[in-house]
Amino acid sequence: MTHTLLEVKDLKVRLGTGDNAVRPVDGVSFSIARGETFALLGESGCGKSMTALSLLRLLPQPAGEITSGSVKLNGEELLALPESGMRAVRGARIAMIFQEPQTSLNPVMTVGAQIGESLALHKGLEGEAARQEVIRLLDAVGIPDAERRCGEYAHQLSGGMKQRVMIAMALAGDPDLLIADEPTTALDVTIQAQVLELIGKLQRERGMAVLLITHDLGVVAGMADRVAVMYAGQIIEQAPRDEFYTTPQHPYSQRLFAALPDSSKRDQRLTVIPGTVPMLNQVFHACRFAERCDRAWDVCQQVAPDWFAQDEAHGMRCHIADPTLSVPDASNHRQDVVEQKMSAASEGAGSELLDTCDLQVHFPIQRGFFRRTVGYVRAVDGVSLSIPRGETMALVGESGCGKTTAGKGILQLLKPTGGSVRFEGTELMELRGEALRKRRSEFQIIFQDPFSSMNPRMSVGDIIEEGMVAQSIGGDAVQRGQRVDRLLDQVGLRPEHRSRYPHQFSGGQRQRICIARALAVNPKLIVCDEPTSALDVSVQAQILNLLKDLQSELGLSYLFITHDLSVVSYLADRVAVMYLGRIVEEGGVSDVLDNAQHPYTRALLSAVPTLDRDTQREIIRLEGDLPSPANPPAGCHFHPRCPQAVEACRISYPPSIQLNDGHSARCHLLGDSGGDVVSGR
């Protein structure tokens, strides 16, 4: 018999007062057993993180208040404890890994001192004893050279290491329950695999329970024992993991699965969930999902559904499960239209648009009073790729490998150190001043973070129109305004949105605004820099559909920079894998993803979370982090992390091996495979 560690019943939270108060948690109930991983899944804004903060009574003050409900830890009612009693719970009995480690770590304290604070508070350790325990914790979470690292600051660590430090801080009090709030959001697949494996290993060793908060269905499949789906402040479905992935019952859950991109859907538009999570500053009298549900009928618009148990472990909040109602057949309700992919509309589709040869972007390292150059950061160190009209080239790799720098170098937003960038036969690196400005309308960029890339003091209309004014295109002010309205409509927004400001939109809507801004000047090539990295599954599907539709209508070419290989398999025609400033494998998307030849590519693919737990596959764990581009390893840059490295890998950088038509890789292990060495450096 499993022992219940945490029991939450009818938890309700209010932010603010009066009629406009927000209710982000509105009657949530669940339990977690010792040693169990319980996943809370759902879109941004549905109340997942606020539920976790409520368990620790860390609500925003003075507005946040738990209005009713019960939270029991080992039978003890936490909501009845005074604040002094909760201080003994936080960190010691319940610990939390926050979503963004950079903003959670104190930038003016060493990581060792921050972990030491928890040890002093919960274990009474100080001085040398605390230092030794800090080193032990850092070593336990897999940070190399822990003794040196404990004296470093947050900015000196990589993203993966920061997350490991957060885990070490959480473990310092030996908690019974670990809350992991989006612990792998925006991490590379290799680092994500390491972090998830670490949490699982520590959980098994310590017998902890884990509350995993995420919107990533692949992460849930690999980690969770049970799953709860949250929507608009309520849990709408709960089930054991295997049962949930085999037969999701709630229409919302089903549509989350249908929205996932993969290679089997390449010729289709992804299923989307129209609209957004409703505002939570209202009293609901009907089903909260009804406006977005493809199976809603009259009763859904009139009555809020109760919770119905499907069996002992599986239940959902939906009228479909009500045995007293006559549920209309699903075929009678609105369905998403699945459209076949159209061919590119532009004349000359398939002809060469961009040709980059041996592109280099090096940044000087300057030291001393006279700022002498003592070396270079070789961020991009010889990248060659071509993009035809109307096609998508994906550029993938870990953070820090040079993907974004390569994209900016191609667009001349960063001055290349060497190489060639030819756009429609014109050498961009030879253009200067007005000549380059005139060509800029033909190639645009969509930045990774839409909010920080827009001026918060400009209205959306002015943001979109700004490029047209700078390029003297689009006619007079009236004509430009009409074009802004058409662009907003084209990306799925309304003309009345033009007078609003960026902070008034959701993340997906901001990304649509950035796409409209890029389209305003009639580009032929758009560099998409991680445009879906932090978006929910449903919003990601909307953006990917939009990009595909625009490519079909306008014949656009994309350089799609990402670390999400499921997006690559759905959207891209070709893919280039980048490691430490160089392309290590390139080819058609099916050639590279289905028949990867470079050890690094295979490691990336093996680390991608899969929904199918029955699939037997070898997980290739890469040791350590990406080396510094200021001091790359001799020989093959990947050999210090490569499980198959041989002596030749330590001596010389491998040449490019042509594997078949259009598929090549740089690896010494392929030299005897019958491939043809076509070039080398």
Side-chain angles (χ1 to χ4, degrees):
M1 181 178 177
T2 57
H3 176 67
T4 299
L5 174 67
L6 180 77
E7 188 173 16
V8 180
K9 287 187 177 179
D10 198 31
L11 182 65
K12 294 185 179 181
V13 173
R14 182 177 62 202
L15 302 178
T17 58
D19 295 337
N20 216 29
V22 175
R23 299 168 181 83
V25 183
D26 196 16
V28 167
S29 300
F30 63 89
S31 63
I32 305 177
R34 284 192 176 277
E36 180 185 35
T37 298
F38 184 83
L40 204 52
L41 180 72
E43 291 176 275
S44 296
C46 69
K48 305 187 302 296
S49 294
M50 198 60 66
T51 298
L53 293 172
S54 301
L55 304 182
L56 290 166
R57 286 170 50 186
L58 289 175
L59 296 173
Q61 293 300 320
E65 177 188 7
I66 297 174
T67 57
S68 65
S70 170
V71 178
K72 291 184 178 180
L73 182 67
N74 256 344
E76 182 180 13
E77 180 57 70
L78 298 186
L79 301 187
L81 291 178
E83 178 59 24
S84 58
M86 279 306 300
R87 290 195 197 104
V89 172
R90 299 182 192 121
R93 299 173 64 190
I94 303 177
M96 187 166 180
I97 305 169
F98 293 95
Q99 182 170 354
E100 177 48 65
Q102 179 63 48
T103 57
S104 303
L105 293 171
N106 191 325
V108 298
M109 290 178 66
T110 65
V111 296
Q114 293 181 67
I115 299 171
E117 282 187 326
S118 183
L119 292 172
L121 178 63
H122 299 299
K123 291 187 174 181
L125 292 179
E126 294 182 349
E128 183 60 23
R131 181 175 175 276
Q132 290 302 319
E133 180 64 9
V134 167
I135 293 171
R136 189 189 69 78
L137 285 167
L138 291 176
D139 185 65
V141 298
I143 291 184
D145 197 4
E147 188 169 0
R148 177 176 62 87
R149 291 289 188 181
C150 73
E152 293 186 345
Y153 294 85
H155 72 273
Q156 295 175 280
L157 305 178
S158 67
M161 283 193 178
K162 289 171 191 168
Q163 197 63 286
R164 288 169 183 267
V165 169
M166 289 293 298
I167 295 172
M169 291 175 65
L171 296 176
D174 287 326
D176 297 320
L177 173 65
L178 177 67
I179 301 174
D181 187 6
E182 299 276 11
T184 60
T185 295
L187 290 181
D188 302 315
V189 288
T190 51
I191 305 301
Q192 173 180 270
Q194 292 174 11
V195 170
L196 294 177
E197 183 181 43
L198 173 63
I199 293 174
K201 173 176 172 286
L202 294 169
Q203 180 184 23
R204 291 188 297 271
E205 291 175 354
R206 295 167 176 251
M208 292 186 305
V210 175
L211 173 58
L212 176 66
I213 297 172
T214 185
H215 63 254
D216 191 322
L217 286 161
V219 169
V220 172
M223 290 283 292
D225 298 302
R226 287 189 301 130
V227 182
V229 181
M230 198 164 181
Y231 185 81
Q234 294 184 327
I235 290 177
I236 59 172
E237 183 168 7
Q238 189 174 153
R241 176 201 56 216
D242 292 341
E243 191 174 328
F244 176 72
Y245 279 80
T246 304
T247 54
Q249 297 293 312
H250 198 284
Y252 176 65
S253 305
Q254 294 169 351
R255 291 170 78 82
L256 285 179
F257 282 101
L260 291 173
D262 61 50
S263 57
S264 67
K265 302 174 183 176
R266 283 180 60 82
D267 294 332
Q268 302 174 353
R269 301 182 77 247
L270 294 171
T271 297
V272 300
I273 306 175
T276 58
V277 178
M279 298 294 290
L280 300 181
N281 60 347
Q282 58 183 302
V283 177
F284 293 93
H285 300 289
C287 175
R288 303 178 185 207
F289 186 59
E291 295 299 324
R292 307 175 70 192
C293 182
D294 63 329
R295 297 197 60 188
W297 77 101
D298 292 346
V299 70
C300 303
Q301 309 283 356
Q302 300 165 0
V303 181
D306 293 324
W307 180 265
F308 298 98
Q310 305 293 95
D311 53 46
E312 187 177 342
H314 196 164
M316 69 171 176
R317 190 181 300 277
C318 182
H319 289 302
I320 291 173
D322 189 344
T324 67
L325 294 178
S326 177
V327 181
D329 186 76
S331 61
N332 295 332
H333 294 274
R334 70 177 188 266
Q335 301 290 333
D336 287 329
V337 178
V338 177
E339 301 175 6
Q340 298 300 312
K341 183 176 71 174
M342 297 184 294
S343 59
S346 67
E347 295 182 7
S351 59
E352 214 64 66
L353 178 69
L354 177 78
D355 184 44
T356 301
C357 182
D358 199 32
L359 178 68
Q360 298 173 349
V361 182
H362 297 170
F363 300 103
I365 302 172
Q366 297 175 327
R367 290 180 185 158
F369 181 79
F370 294 103
R371 311 300 295 165
R372 291 191 178 92
T373 299
V374 296
Y376 291 90
V377 175
R378 301 176 183 273
V380 180
D381 197 27
V383 166
S384 299
L385 51 84
S386 299
I387 305 178
R389 296 178 188 273
E391 291 192 11
T392 300
M393 166 68 81
L395 191 59
V396 304
E398 294 173 280
S399 296
C401 73
K403 305 186 300 295
T404 297
T405 304
K408 291 180 177 179
I410 287 170
L411 298 183
Q412 309 299 299
L413 296 176
L414 291 172
K415 182 174 175 57
T417 308
S420 169
V421 181
R422 300 185 70 83
F423 186 84
E424 291 188 317
T426 301
E427 179 55 69
L428 296 184
M429 292 177 61
E430 295 177 356
L431 299 182
R432 297 288 185 274
E434 188 64 25
L436 178 59
R437 279 194 292 274
K438 286 182 178 179
R439 297 301 300 266
R440 286 207 178 278
S441 63
E442 300 177 18
F443 36 85
Q444 291 290 297
I445 186 170
I446 301 169
F447 293 98
Q448 180 172 356
D449 184 352
F451 190 65
S452 64
S453 67
M454 291 188 284
N455 189 329
R457 297 183 178 182
M458 291 177 66
S459 69
V460 163
D462 290 339
I463 288 170
I464 296 173
E465 188 180 356
E466 186 179 24
M468 290 187 279
V469 174
Q471 291 288 336
S472 301
I473 60 177
D476 58 25
V478 174
Q479 292 171 317
R480 290 196 303 270
Q482 292 171 345
R483 176 159 172 75
V484 168
D485 291 345
R486 289 195 300 271
L487 286 166
L488 287 170
D489 181 67
Q490 196 168 21
V491 299
L493 296 174
R494 295 191 296 272
E496 54 264 33
H497 285 153
R498 62 180 299 174
S499 60
R500 297 185 185 177
Y501 291 84
H503 73 273
Q504 296 176 286
F505 294 88
S506 68
Q509 289 174 319
R510 289 178 195 141
Q511 200 61 283
R512 290 170 181 266
I513 294 167
C514 289
I515 293 172
R517 175 175 61 181
L519 292 174
V521 292
N522 298 316
K524 299 174 183 176
L525 170 71
I526 299 180
V527 174
C528 306
D529 187 9
E530 299 272 13
T532 63
S533 64
L535 299 181
D536 298 315
V537 171
S538 56
V539 180
Q540 174 182 266
Q542 295 171 12
I543 297 300
L544 293 178
N545 281 344
L546 175 61
L547 291 174
K548 269 208 168 185
D549 290 344
L550 293 171
Q551 187 172 53
S552 298
E553 295 167 14
L554 306 175
L556 296 171
S557 297
Y558 297 132
L559 175 61
F560 200 92
I561 297 169
T562 185
H563 61 253
D564 190 333
L565 294 174
S566 63
V567 171
V568 171
S569 67
Y570 171 73
L571 187 69
D573 299 293
R574 293 181 60 79
V575 56
V577 181
M578 195 168 181
Y579 186 82
L580 209 63
R582 299 181 180 181
I583 303 294
V584 297
E585 186 163 3
E586 182 186 354
V589 67
S590 59
D591 287 334
V592 174
L593 299 189
D594 297 337
N595 187 32
Q597 294 297 304
H598 197 282
Y600 178 61
T601 310
R602 291 201 294 267
L604 288 180
L605 291 169
S606 76
V608 176
T610 176
L611 301 186
D612 187 1
R613 289 180 56 84
D614 296 328
T615 300
Q616 297 297 318
R617 59 175 186 158
E618 178 190 4
I619 307 297
I620 303 171
R621 302 299 185 202
L622 296 181
E623 298 299 326
D625 294 310
L626 200 72
S628 170
N631 185 27
C636 174
H637 292 348
F638 183 58
H639 88 260
R641 304 174 71 194
C642 181
Q644 299 175 263
V646 296
E647 187 60 29
C649 305
R650 300 174 177 86
I651 298 172
S652 63
Y653 197 83
S656 180
I657 308 296
Q658 192 71 36
L659 302 166
N660 57 41
D661 186 26
H663 186 188
S664 62
R666 288 182 176 271
C667 182
H668 285 298
L669 300 176
L670 302 174
D672 298 327
S673 64
D676 179 31
V677 179
V678 294
S679 65
R681 283 186 49 133

